[in-house]
Amino acid sequence: MALLSGTVVVVSGVGPGLGRSIALASAREGADLVLAARTGSRLDEVAKEVAALGQRAVAVPTDITDEGSAANLAQAALDAFGRVDTLVHNAFAIPPLTSLADADLTAHRGSVVMINSAVLRHSRLPYGGYKMAKSALLAVAQSLATELGPQGIRVNSVAPGYIWAGSLKWYFGYLAEQRGVDRQQIYDEAAATTDLRKLPEPDEVADAVVFLASSMARAITGQCLDVNSGEYHH
């Protein structure tokens, strides 16, 4: 049986990279999707890909920093599927957990997976402010794990390092141009800092999210799973 068979997964921050990969990985494992992001056209594209995998998807243009928009996302999920089993927070803002928790859900069990960052594991310049924000997000996840645990709701985090996708590929290309070298050289230098000598790809991070959302992780909560090919040990 598929890991997420018969479940409903809400994914915020759906874009062309990790958000899309999380949505499609969830669909491949049998989940129906509620897709949220500010750009509606991008959501529609991912919804078509989910449908091609045989699962249902609802696209809900959402600004999760806006309380009314977040409440609309929760209501749209309920209207479409009657419940939410997993919330994957992939957008860089505090997710609409209050709105979802206060909604009249038919079930009280489920999971939340927050996408964090490997910046938790280092203090390099100039990432101080970013590390503070991501450390706060980790604290939110751990506190919610304690608060929501009695309701059977698990809250975990995934902290990727480099993700070999569009924006990083562009950035490495830019660095290569500045240095007069091939982009592969930049990649190789970055990959050399990891145990596996490769940079994680979006689908590999998405698989970690699916695991934490699934019943295979039913006794795991309040944890942060690093997906960085061994760049940092935790």
Side-chain angles (χ1 to χ4, degrees):
M1 180 178 292
L3 290 178
L4 302 180
S5 180
T7 67
V8 177
V9 177
V10 177
V11 182
S12 70
V14 174
L18 181 57
R20 171 182 173 273
S21 290
I22 292 170
L24 296 183
S26 299
R28 283 191 291 269
E29 291 297 334
D32 292 322
L33 276 299
V34 180
L35 307 171
R38 295 183 182 185
T39 306
S41 59
R42 185 173 295 161
L43 295 177
D44 292 337
E45 294 173 3
V46 177
K48 291 178 182 177
E49 292 183 274
V50 170
L53 292 170
Q55 298 301 131
R56 296 174 294 171
V58 175
V60 187
T62 304
D63 177 0
I64 66 168
T65 65
D66 178 79
E67 184 176 353
S69 186
N72 179 67
L73 171 62
Q75 191 59 53
L78 293 175
D79 290 345
F81 300 114
R83 72 181 197 281
V84 171
D85 297 292
T86 296
L87 167 65
V88 180
H89 167 48
N90 184 52
F92 186 63
I94 300 301
L97 294 173
T98 300
S99 298
L100 288 174
D102 288 345
D104 185 18
L105 303 178
T106 58
H108 295 285
R109 303 185 66 83
S111 65
V112 177
V113 182
M114 295 190 178
I115 305 303
N116 209 294
S117 168
V119 74
L120 295 170
R121 313 303 179 207
H122 69 79
S123 298
R124 299 173 185 166
L125 293 173
Y127 296 104
Y130 186 54
K131 180 173 183 175
M132 289 175 62
K134 289 300 188 179
S135 296
L137 183 61
L138 179 61
V140 168
Q142 292 171 337
S143 295
L144 284 172
T146 298
E147 294 179 16
L148 300 179
Q151 301 176 48
I153 299 173
R154 300 179 296 104
V155 184
N156 291 292
S157 301
V158 169
Y162 284 121
I163 302 177
W164 189 238
S167 59
L168 185 63
K169 290 179 179 180
W170 175 89
Y171 179 59
F172 278 16
Y174 167 78
L175 292 179
E177 183 178 345
Q178 294 297 304
R179 291 174 50 186
V181 299
D182 186 83
R183 186 177 69 178
Q184 185 62 42
Q185 181 174 330
I186 306 297
Y187 177 96
D188 291 342
E189 291 172 358
T193 66
T194 73
D195 294 341
L196 298 180
R197 301 298 190 265
K198 67 180 294 294
L199 303 183
E201 298 181 6
D203 286 351
E204 294 169 323
V205 180
D207 285 346
V209 173
V210 168
F211 163 70
L212 288 174
S214 77
S215 61
M216 293 186 71
R218 58 191 177 275
I220 300 174
T221 194
Q223 305 305 309
C224 183
L225 177 58
D226 290 12
V227 184
N228 58 33
S229 293
E231 182 180 9
Y232 303 103
H233 293 177
H234 160 62

